[in-house]
Every structure is written in C-alpha cells, then in structure tokens.
Amino acid sequence: MTATSTMNRLNIRVRLTLWHAGVLALIILAFSVGVFCLVSVGLYRDLDRSLGRDLAAIEKVYRAEPAELNELESEIGIDYFEVLQETRVLLRTSGWAREGLGHALGATPAPPRSWTTAAGSTFRVAEAAGSGFRIAVAVNEEPVTRSLVVLAAMLAIGVPCALALAIAGGYVLAGRMLAPISAMTARARQITAESLNERLPPGNPADEFGQLSAVINQALARVQRSFEQLRRFTADASHELRTPLTAMRSVGEVAMQSSLDPADYREVIGSMLEEVERLTRLVETLLALTRADSGAIKPARESVDLAALAAGVASQLAVLSEEKGQHLRLVADAPVDATCDPTILSQGLVNLIHNAIKFTPIAGDVCVTVRKILPAEAVIEVQDSGPGIPERHQSYVFDRFYRVDSGRSRDAGGFGLGLAIARWAAEANGGRIELESAEGQGSLFRIVLPLASVP
Ligand code: ADP
C-alpha cells in the first residue's frame, strides 16, 4: 500500500494533523541544524581569533625581548605554546610538553585545526612562521565542545517537545475547525424523506463550511418543494380520479338494485360514459403535464403569426361562446411573428379562451388581442367580462389542481389544470404568462413571447 493511499484512508482531522506535524518537523529540524552550525562556526571563529591574538603577542615578544618569552605563560596565561628557532626549541611551555602537542605539528606550518591528544583532550592549534622561527600555540577546546553539547542537548529535548505540542495543538485545532462538518454530518444523517423540513446547522456564513451548509440547505429546500409538489400532485390527482369513479359506481349500483326499462338503462350508461369521458380527459391532461415535466416534449422553434394562430383558436371555440350568446372578438395587428411551437401555444391559448368563455356570464364579452410590444415582445391577451379572480387567489391559479371556487369550476368540467398547462405553454416557448384581474371586473390573461428575429 502506498503512502498516499494509506493517507487517503485516514480521516481529514488526522491527515491535517500529520501534514501539519510533518511540515513543522521539517522546519524545526532545518532551523535546529542551522542554529547548531551557526553557533559552532561562531565559537570556532572566536577561538581562532583568540589564537591569532596569542600568536601575535608571542611573535611580538620573540622579536623584542626573546628572554621574556617565559613570562607569557605566567603573566598573560598562554598555557600552551612553543617557539622554535630554526630547529632548536627556544621555549616550550610545560603544558605544551605535557599534552604532547608537538605531535600536532607538521613539517610546514598549517592553518588552525583541531587535534586530539593521546589522552583524549582536543586542542585547537594555530601556527605562525617567519624567517628562522616558527611559533605554535594551542588552546583546549573543551569549553567550546561543552557549549555545543549543551546546545545539542537542548535542541534534542526541545525539538521533540515542540513537535509533540504542535501535534497536540494541531489535532485540537483541526478538530475545532472541522467541528461544523461533524455537526452537518450528524444532522444530515437524521434527514429523511419524512423530515425534509430540517436543515443543516448554518455555521459561520463567512467561512467555507458555512457557505457549503447554506448551499446544501438551499438544495434541501428545492428537494422539499419538489417533494411537496409531487405529494400534493399525487393526492390531488387521486382525488380527481376518485370523483368520477365514485359517481360511476353509485350510478351502477343504483341501476343494479332496481330493474329498469331500456330507456333508463341507456340513461345510466350515458351518464357513466360521461364520467368515462371526464376520466379520459383528466388522464390525458395529466399525461401531457407529466411528459412536459419530464422534458420529453421538445418545443419546435418556428416563426408563427400569432394573429393567425389566435384567429384559428378563437374560431374553434366560437361555437361555445355562441351557445352563451357572448361576443367573442379578435383584435390583431397582423402579422405578429413570434418564435414558438404553434401546437403547444395553441393548447395554452385554448385553455385561456375556454376559461374566459366558461367563466363569463351569458351575453358577456370575450376579447382576444394580439399585438407587438416593441422592441422585442409579442403578446396575446384574453380579456373577459366574467367574475374576475380575487387578488388573494391570483398567485395560485396557475398551480395544478387549484380552483378559486372548486364547486363552480368542477361543475363547469374543470380539473384546475388548464392554467398550469397555459403557463407551461408560455414558458416552454421562452415566454411568460401574466394575470390582471380584480373581483367583479373580469380577467385579463396575457401570454408574452419573444418576437421572431428579423432575418
Ligand atoms: P379549470 O379547469 O378548473 O378551469 P384552470 O387551471 O383553468 O382550471 O383555472 C384555475 C381556476 O382559476 C379556475 O378554477 C377558476 O376558478 C379560475 N379562473 C381561471 N380562468 C378564469 C377566468 N377567466 N375568470 C375567472 N376565474 C378564472
């Protein structure tokens, strides 16, 4: 197993801590080695400088008063030195002789260096030579070595302690940083289809976790809305389907219980067929909406003269308005070309004009207007002189199965789906649907579409 895959199997908290500790260990190690080297170089440089000063002092005395050389040991405290004149020893301190430092010298003078005696003491030795003389001086390195050992010991104890503290601190800190994620995970585990109203803890909106939580909460809200719509849709659809089925069953049961003559049976069958027809219409509408929802219907994009389209739909429904003695008028700027799918748009417009006729009383007015709103929009308006739609219902009338007055609407054969389809027809064609109405003052439904672009 590679290091990366092992790392990936650990949780984020441990991974963060390990990364943090690894990087910190590298930094601390590099820092420690650097400090040790710098101190060591500094100490040896000081030692060499002091040896250089001793050499200069000895050389000065040698040149001026060679007889006073032995005072350097007793009075100035230079314990280890030797002065050679040609090959003859002019002066050798007792310390020099005791430690056998003469063995440290080569045939020719060399730069300052460390040398360890047979007894194990280490000395720093420096030399100077001139015409006919050679001076060698040495100093015990022990204080320097001791300082370096103390420093190394401090680092050897301090670095692991600092690392251990850093790992513990990093672990606690990572835990605190990741606490919102744990809280989100715990809450998300509790959210089921039955508790979609629950939300993740919001956290701090300024940090990434807070933003993640907000995005997930928005997604949950959308899922909840869709779920509720679906639930409502299923409940409403079942309810709508049950009504004609119940009607058929009760009509059938009554007919079964008594013996009827053929004319009455025909009547029973006729009323059952009416319900079957209602059921068929409902199922077809539901199917159309479901297909629209699933995106199975791909609207065509063609240039359509809305005035001609509205005229076609109006003439198709004219018979219904004539039955109620209404005045159905068409006012159109011709031509008004919009880019849309004519079949889908006709479906929406049929529903609007049909509603207008249905809800407008006998001898009322229904007016369909087609016009352009420059620079880029085309509108079809369906205005009626019916009861209007109270303001409190206006934002709901486009919802599926919503009826302002359910008794009246159902009696008129409506399922509360016509406006939902009209809205889909407008939106599928890249437009929108609007409603202007007030109670008792008629209704105006407006489909707004983009004008066809002039080639
Ligand atoms: P329905 O098939 O029941 O008519 P719609 O979705 O077409 O369903 O309309 C929803 C509700 O909006 C209707 O039940 C009705 O109360 C109201 N409505 C729609 N069009 C009009 C209108 N032109 N005048 C008054 N009320 C209307």
Side-chain angles (χ1 to χ4, degrees):
M1 205 183 316
T2 63
T4 323
S5 71
T6 313
M7 205 57 172
N8 288 343
R9 285 153 60 102
L10 300 171
N11 69 33
I12 294 186
R13 185 179 187 184
V14 175
R15 263 150 65 186
L16 266 179
T17 311
L18 287 181
W19 273 109
H20 165 246
V23 171
L24 209 76
L26 273 180
I27 295 172
I28 293 182
L29 270 177
F31 177 77
S32 307
V33 170
V35 165
F36 187 83
C37 291
L38 271 177
V39 170
S40 155
V41 167
L43 287 175
Y44 277 99
R45 199 181 42 221
D46 288 349
L47 209 59
D48 290 347
R49 273 197 199 127
S50 141
L51 282 174
R53 277 195 300 274
D54 289 352
L55 276 175
I58 297 166
E59 188 178 342
K60 196 172 162 196
V61 175
Y62 166 74
R63 287 187 193 281
E65 301 286 343
E68 289 175 10
L69 273 174
N70 54 354
E71 286 175 15
L72 284 172
E73 183 184 6
S74 53
E75 283 174 26
I76 301 183
I78 306 176
D79 293 330
Y80 307 98
F81 73 94
E82 178 185 70
V83 181
L84 299 173
Q85 200 166 34
E86 301 303 341
T87 52
R88 187 173 63 88
V89 176
L90 193 64
L91 188 101
R92 177 178 287 156
T93 62
S94 54
W96 183 275
R98 192 178 59 247
E99 300 290 348
L101 286 164
H103 299 295
L105 305 183
T108 51
R113 66 224 170 262
S114 299
W115 187 78
T116 307
T117 64
S121 309
T122 304
F123 284 83
R124 189 81 177 159
V125 183
E127 291 174 81
S131 54
F133 73 92
R134 181 171 169 185
I135 303 169
V137 65
V139 66
N140 198 330
E141 274 186 19
E142 202 201 326
V144 169
T145 324
R146 211 181 311 122
S147 301
L148 288 177
V149 167
V150 169
L151 178 64
M154 277 167 59
L155 289 174
I157 296 168
V159 167
C161 285
L163 261 179
L165 272 178
I167 290 175
Y171 190 72
V172 171
L173 218 68
R176 289 193 56 173
M177 295 289 292
L178 295 170
I181 289 279
S182 310
M184 279 159 69
T185 312
R187 182 69 65 82
R189 272 207 191 98
Q190 294 164 0
I191 299 178
T192 61
E194 278 67 46
S195 59
L196 276 175
N197 56 334
E198 290 204 26
R199 293 289 175 270
L200 301 185
N204 176 0
D207 71 25
E208 286 82 350
F209 294 142
Q211 286 159 14
L212 177 68
S213 164
V215 170
I216 294 177
N217 281 341
Q218 284 161 10
L220 274 174
R222 285 196 295 273
V223 171
Q224 185 190 4
R225 256 198 314 277
S226 312
F227 241 71
E228 275 166 7
Q229 268 171 10
L230 201 69
R231 241 181 232 154
R232 211 174 326 125
F233 184 70
T234 317
D236 290 344
S238 323
H239 180 74
E240 289 300 328
L241 287 167
R242 214 174 47 197
T243 314
L245 286 174
T246 314
M248 277 197 287
R249 207 169 85 192
S250 43
V251 170
E253 277 170 1
V254 170
M256 285 288 284
Q257 277 161 13
S258 43
S259 56
L260 303 171
D261 56 41
D264 291 337
Y265 277 123
R266 209 170 288 126
E267 200 180 314
V268 168
I269 293 171
S271 94
M272 281 177 136
L273 281 178
E274 248 176 53
E275 295 300 338
V276 168
E277 208 237 323
R278 188 175 153 78
L279 264 179
T280 312
R281 267 193 299 126
L282 174 60
V283 170
E284 274 168 5
T285 318
L286 285 177
L287 215 64
L289 274 172
T290 314
R291 289 185 63 218
D293 282 349
S294 69
I297 303 175
K298 294 268 169 283
R301 308 287 298 155
E302 46 187 87
S303 176
V304 177
D305 177 9
L306 297 186
L309 183 135
V313 174
S315 72
Q316 195 184 319
L317 298 173
V319 59
L320 296 178
S321 68
E322 276 160 21
E323 273 174 15
K324 294 179 79 176
Q326 293 166 339
H327 309 286
L328 173 61
R329 283 186 303 132
L330 176 73
V331 181
D333 300 347
V336 179
D337 290 327
T339 307
C340 62
D341 182 318
T343 317
I344 294 177
L345 190 64
S346 302
Q347 214 173 330
L349 193 58
V350 163
N351 292 353
L352 293 186
I353 301 179
H354 192 221
N355 275 352
I357 296 171
K358 195 163 69 179
F359 292 105
T360 298
I362 289 171
D365 291 310
V366 175
C367 182
V368 181
T369 310
V370 183
R371 59 192 171 86
K372 287 180 194 173
I373 302 179
L374 292 174
E377 287 181 330
V379 298
I380 307 177
E381 290 173 340
V382 179
Q383 165 94 63
D384 65 48
S385 59
I389 300 173
E391 184 141 9
R392 63 183 184 282
H393 294 291
Q394 288 183 11
S395 49
Y396 303 111
V397 285
F398 296 102
D399 290 352
R400 292 170 188 185
F401 296 108
Y402 190 86
R403 300 179 179 102
V404 172
D405 175 346
S406 55
R408 191 178 63 186
S409 178
R410 193 173 277 127
D411 290 348
F415 303 114
L417 293 173
L419 290 181
I421 290 187
R423 178 171 65 180
W424 165 71
E427 289 172 357
N429 282 306
R432 60 183 188 276
I433 193 162
E434 296 169 353
L435 165 62
E436 282 174 24
S437 182
E439 202 163 359
Q441 290 172 24
S443 312
L444 170 69
F445 286 92
R446 181 183 300 121
I447 292 180
V448 184
L449 293 170
L451 272 178
S453 47
V454 184

